[in-house]
């Protein structure tokens, strides 16, 4: 086999002046957009390290104080650690269950011929068109009838509906050449061998990406946990933040400190998995778009 | 018998991909299914593997009816055209996959993979991933994965068609050696009749889901049953001319060719009526060039290959005939020559394309 490797271009051709101006303008615009995006985060941070007395009416853009009192208060005087525990627990469980259920569903839809398979996939696609909000009332009544209000199960179960994950996995499995499956069959492997020892390892990137997107989605979920949980002990962080407000009057510094702590795992996850997150968002929005 | 098919059929919905195919493949032979694209060769192979369910008939391997047996339990191994290696596993793990699934002891796995790697000269590559290997090496890994399973029957579906021409010739030789070394039954699918001729000891020619003829390569070459086999086997292909039976003397018939006053003669016991329209077939190497009498043709193009040359000629009515010439090198481009053939090399086919013997 003669494989001709093309040399990477070592020197870029010099860019023309209009081209450079265009690039500069684009850079400035991108930077401006980034600033707009990051400002709330910055403002949250700045506010959270002020003292409560200093917050009201303070319009100074620069940090004029550095106090961690709000953080200490948040941790000591709110149920933040409990909410953290609830958030981590429910988010991990939802992520694991969503991936597991969806991967099995997608595999069956993609690889196994069975009566009603096409119809079932139609149902998955259709459920993808239904906005989650329209289901909320029914789901709430269901959870109430099942006595799951104020429980993890109540938070978790409705969030397991994840047609996007099924669709992404199905498209992935559809794209695997059928000989791959047949090779495993001839080697003596069954469906679970095909799925877990060959198909998924073919591209762990997809699973990682879907896990990140699902986890962030559940971590940030507010509406449903807010409805299904009334007891402070069962709240997740986004719901808990509303309690900081209620319990302390308007305590902006503390509120912002809780918000910072709430965002922390997502920020860390983003920094660690930066590339994967971008990929993940592209994969799942590719389906949506 | 290594593999026996009895009246095997396969339909996809209303489309009949394989119709009533029966064949016997002796143990230890190298069988090749050959035919144009879409004739059902792969389907037939996949039915032997168990990857497609037969719509009718029986399949037996080593005299055991496997028609309803799971693919993994048929003791067959398959090498796919696109290799279908597991890209996330190393070469060693690829070859060991089936043994590990069967929970064979570690020593045995190492020994069997090691032996296969030695045969295929893959020993230095065992820790590589398929993506780090060339096409030819990947092909070897795919074959290695089959060898490790020690199957009764090896199935190959166009395994060389993704390789470049030079490597294909080399791998062809290696497959022949491998077959000799392992002594296992091998079934090989290709659309390339040269591959079929060079590899096979038994060729099965297929067309439109039907088995056309089965036999050793040279038997198919010298003594085809029908016009399709005659035209498919051999390169350049056999020449065909429309003709009419005009006289018979014992087993010798005289065949007049349209637009030519020179008749051909053929040996034929078949009692077809005088005057019936037939087609005659003559291989390029059996056409002799001479001066009159003979079939007058003009030489269009002469391809000189050194040892042989191919003359592309045309009759007065525009019919193209290819002539193979050996030894002589004088230029004949544009000249008028006369062609004749030994009666024993003139084959006769009736209107349906069946050979008249
Ligand atoms: N799974 C299938 N569904 C429907 N038609 C098929 C299927 N597999 C093969 N065919 C058809 O059967 C015929 C034979 O196919 P195949 O055995 O792949 O031919 P080839 O001789 O080129 O290997 C083709 O016309 C093909 O389109
Ligand atoms: Mg084929």
């Amino acid at each position: 086999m003669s494989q001709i490797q093309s040399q990477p271009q070592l020197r870029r051709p010099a860019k023309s002046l209009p081209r450079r101006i265009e690039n500069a303008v684009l850079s400035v615009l991108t930077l401006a957009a980034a600033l707009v995006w990051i400002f709330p985060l910055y403002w949250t941070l700045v506010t959270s390290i002020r003292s409560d007395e200093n917050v009201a009416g303070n319009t100074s853009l620069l940090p004029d104080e550095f106090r961690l009192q709000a953080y200490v208060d948040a941790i000591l005087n709110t149920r933040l650690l409990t909410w953290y525990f609830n958030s981590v627990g429910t988010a991990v469980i939802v992520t694991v269950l969503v991936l597991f259920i969806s991967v099995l569903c997608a595999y069956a839809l993609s690889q196994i011929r069975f009566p009603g398979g096409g119809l079932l996939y139609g149902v998955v696609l259709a459920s993808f068109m239904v906005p989650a909000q329209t289901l909320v009332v029914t789901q709430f009544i269901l959870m109430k009838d099942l006595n799951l209000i104020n429980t993890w199960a109540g938070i978790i179960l409705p969030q397991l509906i994840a047609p996007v994950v099924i669709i992404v996995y199905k498209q992935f499995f559809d794209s695997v050449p059928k000989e791959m499956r047949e090779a495993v069959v001839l080697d003596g492997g069954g469906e679970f061998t095909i799925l877990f020892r060959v198909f998924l390892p073919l591209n762990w990137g997809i699973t990682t990406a879907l896990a990140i997107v699902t986890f962030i989605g559940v971590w940030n979920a507010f509406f449903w946990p807010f409805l299904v949980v009334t007891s402070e002990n069962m709240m997740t962080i986004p719901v808990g933040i509303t309690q900081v407000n209620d319990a302390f009057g308007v305590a902006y510094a503390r509120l912002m400190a809780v918000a910072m702590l709430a965002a922390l795992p997502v920020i860390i996850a983003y920094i660690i998995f930066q590339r994967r997150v971008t990929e993940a968002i592209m994969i799942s929005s590719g389906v949506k778009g | 018998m290594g593999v026996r098919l009895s009246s095997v059929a396969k339909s996809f919905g209303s489309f009949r991909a394989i119709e009533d195919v029966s064949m016997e493949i002796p143990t230890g032979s190298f069988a090749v299914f050959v035919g144009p694209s879409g004739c059902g060769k792969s389907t037939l192979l996949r039915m032997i593997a168990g990857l497609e369910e037969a719509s009718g008939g029986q399949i037996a391997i080593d005299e055991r009816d496997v028609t309803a047996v799971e693919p993994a339990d048929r003791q067959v191994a398959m090498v796919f055209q696109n290799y279908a290696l597991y890209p996330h596993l190393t070469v060693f793990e690829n070859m060991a996959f089936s043994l590990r699934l069967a929970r064979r002891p570690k020593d045995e796995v190492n020994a069997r993979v090691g032996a296969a790697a030695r045969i295929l000269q893959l020993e230095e590559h065992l820790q590589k991933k398929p993506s780090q290997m060339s096409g030819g090496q990947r092909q070897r890994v795919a074959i290695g994965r089959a060898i490790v399973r020690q199957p009764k029957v090896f199935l190959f579906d166009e395994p060389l068609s993704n390789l470049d021409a030079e490597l294909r010739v080399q791998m062809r030789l290696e497959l022949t050696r491998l077959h000799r070394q392992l002594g296992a039954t091998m079934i090989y699918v290709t659309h390339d009749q040269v591959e079929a001729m060079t590899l096979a000891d038994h060729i099965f020619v297929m067309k439109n889901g039907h088995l056309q003829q089965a036999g050793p390569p040279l038997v198919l070459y010298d003594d085809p049953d029908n016009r399709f086999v005659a035209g498919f086997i051999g390169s350049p292909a056999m020449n065909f001319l429309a003709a009419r039976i005009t006289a018979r003397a014992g087993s010798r018939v005289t065949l007049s060719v349209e637009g030519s006053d020179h008749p051909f003669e053929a040996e034929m016991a078949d009692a077809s009526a005088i005057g019936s329209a037939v087609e005659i077939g003559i291989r390029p190497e059996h056409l002799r060039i001479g001066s009159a009498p003979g079939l007058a043709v003009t030489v269009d193009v002469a391809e000189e290959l050194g040892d042989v040359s191919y003359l592309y000629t045309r009759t007065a009515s525009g019919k193209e005939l290819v002539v193979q010439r050996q030894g002589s090198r004088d230029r004949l481009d544009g000249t008028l020559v006369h062609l004749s053939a030994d009666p024993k090399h003139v084959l006769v086919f009736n209107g349906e394309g069946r050979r008249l013997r």
Side-chain angles (χ1 to χ4, degrees):
Chain A
M1 288 274 283
S2 68
Q3 222 149 9
I4 299 162
Q5 206 112 33
S6 68
Q7 284 288 324
Q9 262 186 316
L10 294 182
R11 291 210 295 143
R12 289 193 217 164
K15 290 215 175 89
S16 63
L17 188 63
R19 192 65 209 248
R20 270 197 266 174
I21 293 174
E22 190 187 316
N23 280 348
V25 169
L26 279 179
S27 301
V28 169
L29 285 178
T30 314
L31 195 64
L35 284 176
V36 170
W37 274 100
I38 205 163
F39 182 75
L41 192 60
Y42 169 78
W43 192 241
T44 306
L45 181 64
V46 170
T47 307
S48 72
I49 55 176
R50 285 177 175 153
S51 63
D52 268 330
E53 304 77 52
N54 184 20
V55 171
N58 188 341
T59 51
S60 153
L61 285 179
L62 298 174
D64 44 14
E65 231 182 320
F66 184 77
R67 290 165 55 111
L68 290 176
Q69 188 57 41
Y71 287 87
V72 175
D73 281 351
I75 291 169
L76 293 182
N77 298 333
T78 72
R79 305 252 173 100
L80 184 70
L81 294 181
T82 308
W83 302 333
Y84 240 110
F85 178 66
N86 290 334
S87 267
V88 171
T90 52
V92 166
I93 292 174
V94 170
T95 305
V96 169
L97 286 180
V98 159
L99 289 187
F100 187 71
I101 295 169
S102 305
V103 87
L104 293 180
C105 175
Y107 179 84
L109 289 174
S110 160
Q111 300 291 312
I112 302 173
R113 302 245 148 273
F114 58 96
L119 183 71
L120 205 58
Y121 188 52
V123 171
V124 172
L125 285 175
S127 74
F128 176 54
M129 317 277 171
V130 180
Q133 287 80 352
T134 60
L135 300 173
V136 152
V137 173
T138 351
Q139 283 172 348
F140 186 82
I141 294 170
L142 183 64
M143 291 303 125
K144 190 165 174 301
D145 289 349
L146 293 172
N147 273 330
L148 294 178
I149 304 294
N150 279 322
T151 63
W152 274 21
I155 300 173
I156 289 169
L157 286 175
Q159 298 198 67
L160 297 183
I161 306 167
V164 183
V165 179
I166 298 177
I167 294 165
V168 170
Y169 266 132
K170 179 176 183 295
Q171 285 179 347
F172 165 42
F173 296 148
D174 285 349
S175 73
V176 178
K178 76 174 196 298
E179 288 83 359
M180 195 66 77
R181 169 194 178 77
E182 293 172 348
V184 186
V185 167
L186 282 168
D187 273 350
E191 304 294 351
F192 284 95
T193 307
I194 299 173
L195 174 56
F196 290 109
R197 290 180 65 174
V198 179
F199 277 26
L200 284 183
L202 282 181
N203 190 345
W204 280 121
I206 290 186
T207 298
T208 321
L210 289 173
I212 293 166
V213 169
T214 308
F215 185 89
I216 293 180
V218 181
W219 185 270
N220 288 337
F222 171 75
F223 191 45
W224 175 253
F226 178 71
L227 288 180
V228 83
V229 169
T230 52
S231 145
E232 246 190 82
N233 277 329
M234 295 311 295
M235 286 178 180
T236 57
I237 288 193
V239 181
I241 292 175
T242 62
Q243 300 303 302
V244 178
N245 216 355
D246 287 357
F248 302 92
V250 188
Y252 285 117
R254 198 174 302 180
L255 189 57
M256 292 306 126
V258 175
M260 280 309 295
L261 291 172
L264 206 59
V266 174
I267 294 172
I268 292 173
Y270 183 77
I271 291 169
I272 297 175
F273 297 114
Q274 201 166 1
R275 248 191 51 216
R276 288 252 180 267
V277 176
T278 323
E279 268 171 28
I281 290 168
M282 276 171 16
I283 289 173
S284 45
S285 67
V287 172
K288 280 176 182 152
Chain B
M1 214 33 74
V3 177
R4 185 197 313 268
L5 306 186
S6 319
S7 306
V8 167
K10 176 72 192 178
S11 305
F12 294 108
S14 63
F15 175 71
R16 293 147 75 111
I18 299 288
E19 294 197 60
D20 191 25
V21 168
S22 299
M23 58 171 67
E24 298 194 334
I25 298 168
T27 307
S29 64
F30 199 125
V32 172
F33 298 170
V34 68
S37 180
C39 69
K41 332 175 271 294
S42 296
T43 304
L44 201 56
L45 193 76
R46 292 162 53 79
M47 284 161 83
I48 297 173
L51 295 172
E52 302 280 0
E53 214 176 307
S55 318
Q58 271 94 46
I59 300 168
I61 294 174
D62 262 6
E63 306 302 343
R64 177 173 77 118
D65 185 345
V66 296
T67 318
V69 173
E70 289 296 314
D73 301 328
R74 292 189 179 196
Q75 291 182 284
V76 300
M78 188 148 170
V79 176
F80 296 91
Q81 175 175 353
N82 62 3
Y83 318 139
L85 298 176
Y86 310 127
H88 58 294
L89 300 181
T90 63
V91 169
F92 182 93
E93 291 165 335
N94 262 280
M95 296 209 272
F97 195 79
S98 61
L99 300 179
R100 285 182 172 168
L101 279 185
R103 303 193 190 287
R104 309 303 307 177
K106 210 170 167 193
D107 293 347
E108 185 189 337
V109 174
N110 288 339
R112 277 162 78 169
V113 173
R118 213 158 25 252
I119 293 173
L120 296 163
Q121 290 147 33
L122 286 170
E123 285 160 303
E124 299 111 77
H125 305 295
L126 284 173
Q127 294 315 316
K128 283 189 190 164
K129 291 275 175 69
S131 58
Q132 297 166 296
M133 309 185 79
S134 69
Q137 289 171 328
R138 285 181 210 182
Q139 185 62 75
R140 280 204 191 89
V141 178
I143 296 172
R145 197 167 60 177
I147 291 177
V148 161
R149 295 187 43 210
Q150 302 175 343
K152 287 194 167 138
V153 183
F154 285 83
L155 306 172
F156 297 92
D157 193 353
E158 312 230 6
L160 305 187
S161 45
N162 284 0
L163 304 177
D164 62 41
E166 201 177 329
L167 199 55
R168 209 149 55 209
V169 173
Q170 187 192 327
M171 284 301 289
R172 217 158 69 193
L173 274 175
E174 282 187 33
L175 277 175
T176 306
R177 285 198 197 105
L178 188 71
H179 176 239
R180 222 170 274 160
Q181 193 171 352
L182 298 175
T185 310
M186 295 190 173
I187 307 180
Y188 186 103
V189 160
T190 179
H191 63 270
D192 178 351
Q193 59 91 20
V194 176
E195 241 171 52
M197 292 294 283
T198 49
L199 282 169
D201 42 43
H202 280 71
I203 295 185
F204 297 82
V205 183
M206 310 223 2
K207 181 192 169 194
N208 293 340
H210 289 273
L211 179 61
Q212 297 289 312
Q213 189 176 358
L218 291 181
V219 169
L220 297 197
Y221 187 85
D222 293 334
D223 195 16
D225 279 348
N226 58 47
R227 189 191 183 288
F228 176 76
V229 174
F232 191 78
I233 302 286
S235 171
M238 183 180 279
N239 299 294
F240 294 98
L241 286 165
R244 200 168 283 282
I245 300 175
T246 49
R248 179 196 308 277
S251 68
R252 179 70 55 100
V253 290
T254 306
L255 300 142
S256 75
V257 175
E258 234 174 282
S260 156
D261 45 14
H262 177 76
F264 284 91
E265 291 188 324
E267 296 287 345
M268 186 179 98
D270 186 273
S272 292
I274 305 286
S276 35
V278 295
E279 205 166 8
I280 61 177
I282 308 169
R283 295 215 175 267
E285 68 270 28
H286 293 144
L287 281 171
R288 282 188 312 245
I289 294 177
S291 45
L295 178 65
V297 293
T298 317
V299 179
D300 254 355
V301 177
E303 278 180 0
E304 301 285 352
L305 300 183
D307 53 344
V308 294
S309 50
Y310 295 108
L311 307 184
Y312 295 85
T313 70
R314 213 181 274 280
T315 65
S317 55
K319 175 85 189 142
E320 286 183 39
L321 297 175
V322 183
V323 183
Q324 181 183 324
R325 241 172 134 222
Q326 218 131 7
S328 162
R329 291 191 171 191
D330 35 317
R331 309 289 309 185
L332 291 172
D333 304 49
T335 60
L336 190 81
V337 296
H338 291 82
L339 303 178
S340 57
D342 188 323
K344 69 171 190 279
H345 288 137
V346 177
L347 311 184
V348 186
F349 303 92
N350 71 6
E352 287 98 56
R354 191 169 58 79
R355 169 90 181 281
L356 302 177
R357 288 194 162 98

